[in-house]
Amino acid sequence: MGLTLAADVAMARRISLCGDGPLADGGEKLQRNLGEGPCVQALQQRAPVLAEDLSDVHTVRQWPLFALEARACGIQAAFALPARPAECRPRLHRAVPLP
């Protein structure tokens, strides 16, 4: 399991906040490098993405590179649950006031 904070749908500005184990780290790196996968799709669609089997034909069509590489790393399923700020109401604090 991992948690990533993305500032935009393209995930160009994002940071991995935590990852639990090599599968989470590997899956995150693959999506960052390939630009496809469940997290990318979940952010674009603003909806959960549940891929129960990365060898499924439909899943492979959606993310051909991610599905192949993820399975090679031992990842057999992937799930992404986006949380928008309106839903989780994050609290942001600054050390200095805004200009």
Side-chain angles (χ1 to χ4, degrees):
M1 182 169 85
L3 179 62
T4 299
L5 179 63
D8 57 10
V9 173
M11 295 180 73
R13 296 181 301 161
R14 70 191 214 193
I15 185 169
S16 294
L17 300 176
C18 69
D20 185 17
L23 292 182
D25 292 339
E28 176 64 21
K29 286 177 187 173
L30 285 173
Q31 291 182 92
R32 182 175 50 247
N33 294 337
L34 300 173
E36 65 179 41
C39 291
V40 176
Q41 183 176 338
L43 283 173
Q44 290 171 344
Q45 295 178 347
R46 295 184 176 176
V49 173
L50 312 173
E52 297 174 2
D53 182 358
L54 290 179
S55 64
D56 176 73
V57 174
H58 177 69
T59 302
V60 172
R61 261 191 239 123
Q62 287 181 0
W63 320 309
L65 298 173
F66 176 80
L68 178 69
E69 294 293 326
R71 288 193 329 267
C73 293
I75 301 170
Q76 302 300 318
F79 308 94
L81 307 167
R84 293 181 292 237
E87 296 167 351
C88 62
R89 305 211 189 282
R91 305 295 189 251
L92 303 176
H93 305 280
R94 292 178 50 95
V96 296
L98 289 172

